[in-house]
Amino acid sequence: ITYQTVVNMERINSLGATVTLLNEANDSSQSLVVTPDNKIGVQKDVVSFTTEEVSWISTISVPENGLAQAVATDTLPHVYLHGRFIYESYKAGSLDITGLVNGESYDVTYSADKVVITFFRDAGKTQTGLQAVEGGHTITVKLTTKVDQEWLKAGYDGGETEPNWTTYLMNHTNTFALNTVTDTATVVFDKPGMEKSAEIFKDGQG
């Protein structure tokens, strides 16, 4: 006997998932990995920076078949220094989200270490996820963080006193995740006294 089954791809995340078929007649099962044709795309980049603040942009490529759930987590740059974690703070009012379609909406939760955005298919915020749109659609999330000056100084000083510690202290990395898909971008502050002197690295570079 040959038959076909239809998988609800909105329930499958961008990395794929294991689907198990059960045959109750003979108490058997078979599993296979299902991967969506159109995967979620996430890209993190730096827009601009000074020694006072950094502007970041995250680009979300929403697959054509939409998403049943879409929760974005922007983890603010942080470092372990002097026996504690230091998180660079979100600049109030800097969040800007564009590219929503067909009544899509969102809620935002702010905390000391991250900004969490929950997307909804409708303006009333009763249906989680993002709409299915022919050809897919792109959403951008922009925000600005304030550079922690204690951390900045430690990065400058570390090169003189602790060479092996320098890279860790100089890197200010922002991570963006949509569901389970992540990307990062890093600003490396390595030249004190120059307002806009730093390097930008993408995930996997440097």
Side-chain angles (χ1 to χ4, degrees), residues 111-132:
S111 62
D113 60 337
K114 58 182 174 289
V115 177
V116 178
I117 306 162
T118 302
F119 290 98
F120 297 89
R121 298 167 181 248
D122 61 319
K125 301 179 182 179
T126 62
Q127 304 174 49
T128 60
L130 291 166
Q131 292 277 5

Side-chain angles (χ1 to χ4, degrees), residues 5-202:
T5 59
V6 177
V7 177
N8 182 355
M9 296 306 291
E10 291 185 355
R11 301 287 181 179
I12 303 298
N13 68 32
S14 68
L15 301 179
T18 300
V19 176
T20 301
L21 306 177
L22 301 176
N23 186 335
E24 295 182 354
N26 60 13
D27 196 27
S28 64
S29 66
Q30 183 173 354
S31 299
L32 68 158
V33 175
V34 177
T35 304
D37 292 332
N38 299 314
K39 297 183 179 181
I40 299 172
V42 170
Q43 182 173 327
K44 186 76 184 184
D45 292 294
V46 178
V47 177
S48 62
F49 58 87
T50 69
T51 54
E52 297 293 328
E53 60 184 39
V54 181
S55 294
W56 313 85
I57 184 170
S58 304
T59 304
I60 302 169
S61 298
V62 183
E64 186 173 11
N65 54 7
L67 296 170
Q69 181 180 2
V71 178
T73 302
D74 200 303
T75 303
L76 305 178
H78 57 281
V79 69
Y80 190 76
L81 181 65
H82 300 152
R84 73 189 196 283
F85 279 103
I86 294 177
Y87 287 89
E88 297 193 319
S89 60
Y90 161 76
K91 182 179 180 179
S94 67
L95 182 66
D96 182 29
I97 299 176
T98 60
L100 300 179
V101 298
N102 299 338
E104 291 174 336
S105 59
Y106 60 89
D107 271 337
V108 184
T109 302
Y110 301 95
S111 62
D113 60 337
K114 58 182 174 289
V115 177
V116 178
I117 306 162
T118 302
F119 290 98
F120 297 89
R121 298 167 181 248
D122 61 319
K125 301 179 182 179
T126 62
Q127 304 174 49
T128 60
L130 291 166
Q131 292 277 5
V133 177
E134 184 176 357
H137 63 293
T138 300
I139 296 173
T140 59
V141 178
K142 298 179 183 178
L143 59 76
T144 299
T145 55
K146 297 180 180 179
V147 177
D148 184 89
Q149 296 304 300
E150 179 184 1
W151 178 2
L152 184 69
K153 183 178 184 302
Y156 291 157
D157 295 344
E160 301 173 4
T161 60
E162 301 176 62
N164 294 332
W165 195 238
T166 301
T167 300
Y168 174 69
L169 292 176
M170 287 182 179
N171 289 353
H172 295 236
T173 299
N174 183 220
T175 301
F176 184 87
L178 182 69
N179 298 343
T180 59
V181 183
T182 66
D183 193 25
T184 66
T186 299
V187 176
V188 182
F189 291 100
D190 59 357
K191 296 178 182 178
M194 299 180 67
E195 180 64 7
K196 291 187 177 181
S197 180
E199 296 178 88
I200 299 172
F201 288 119
K202 283 293 297 167

